[in-house]
């Protein structure tokens, strides 16, 4: 019984540390142009900032969860949505199934209307660095070649 309890304690401690890391890596603020968007996009930006910014990068919400330095990458680094374009069905699939590999991202990290709003938000704002700059932001980070 003691070994099982010890594992639970270690797992719980790891989750607390991971949650703290996600917040620490997270967001520098949602860009002003989001305020003029429909409620679903505003909510999607807020939920993404709160739940996804620890592992993903997207300038429009100040999310810096992905490193661009290959030598500093961690297994929790998710896709950089500044350069990776997403579409609603793909985002919903990833949310429901824990990403595409199922290895790191928790399944159903958001659900219901929040999941739909995050998908709509990502479909609108992801991939803008691959086709130019994001309006209203001033990111100087160098992007990797695709």
């Amino acid at each position: 019984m003691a070994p099982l309890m010890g594992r639970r304690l270690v797992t719980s401690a790891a989750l607390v540390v991971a949650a703290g890391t996600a917040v620490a890596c997270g967001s520098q603020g949602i860009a002003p142009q989001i305020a003029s968007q429909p409620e679903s996009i505003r909510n999607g930006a807020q939920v993404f900032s709160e739940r996804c910014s620890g592992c993903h990068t997207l300038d429009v919400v100040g999310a810096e969860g992905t490193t661009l330095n290959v030598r500093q990458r961690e297994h929790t680094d998710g896709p950089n949505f500044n350069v990776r374009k997403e579409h609603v069905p793909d985002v919903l699939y990833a949310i429901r199934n824990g990403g595409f590999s199922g290895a790191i991202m928790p399944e159903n990290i958001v659900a219901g209307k929040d999941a739909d709003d995050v998908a709509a938000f990502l479909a609108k704002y992801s991939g803008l660095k691959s086709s130019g700059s994001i309006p209203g932001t001033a990111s100087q980070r160098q992007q990797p070649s695709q």
Side-chain angles (χ1 to χ4, degrees), residues 11 21 51 65 77 110 114 137:
T11 302
T21 301
R51 304 273 182 95
D77 285 359
V110 295
D114 285 344
T137 63

Side-chain angles (χ1 to χ4, degrees), residues 11 24 31-33 37 40 45 52 56 64 75-76 80 90 96 106 109 121 129-130 132:
T11 302
Q33 75 264 28
Q37 294 298 308
S40 62
C52 310
H56 297 282
E64 296 178 341
H75 74 284
T76 57
N80 179 336
D90 296 329
R96 291 179 186 131
I109 192 161
F121 163 72
K129 287 281 183 130
S130 62

Side-chain angles (χ1 to χ4, degrees), residues 39-96:
E39 190 274 330
S40 62
I41 300 294
R42 291 191 316 266
N43 183 56
Q46 186 64 42
V47 172
F48 182 91
S49 181
E50 292 169 0
R51 304 273 182 95
C52 310
S53 63
C55 297
H56 297 282
T57 295
L58 186 57
D59 286 352
V60 75
V61 292
E64 296 178 341
T66 308
T67 182
L68 298 176
N69 183 333
V70 176
R71 294 177 189 211
Q72 294 177 349
R73 285 191 57 91
E74 298 178 7
H75 74 284
T76 57
D77 285 359
N80 179 336
F81 291 125
N82 287 325
V83 295
R84 178 173 165 166
K85 180 65 181 159
E86 294 295 341
H87 303 282
V88 170
D90 296 329
V91 174
L92 290 173
Y93 176 90
I95 289 171
R96 291 179 186 131

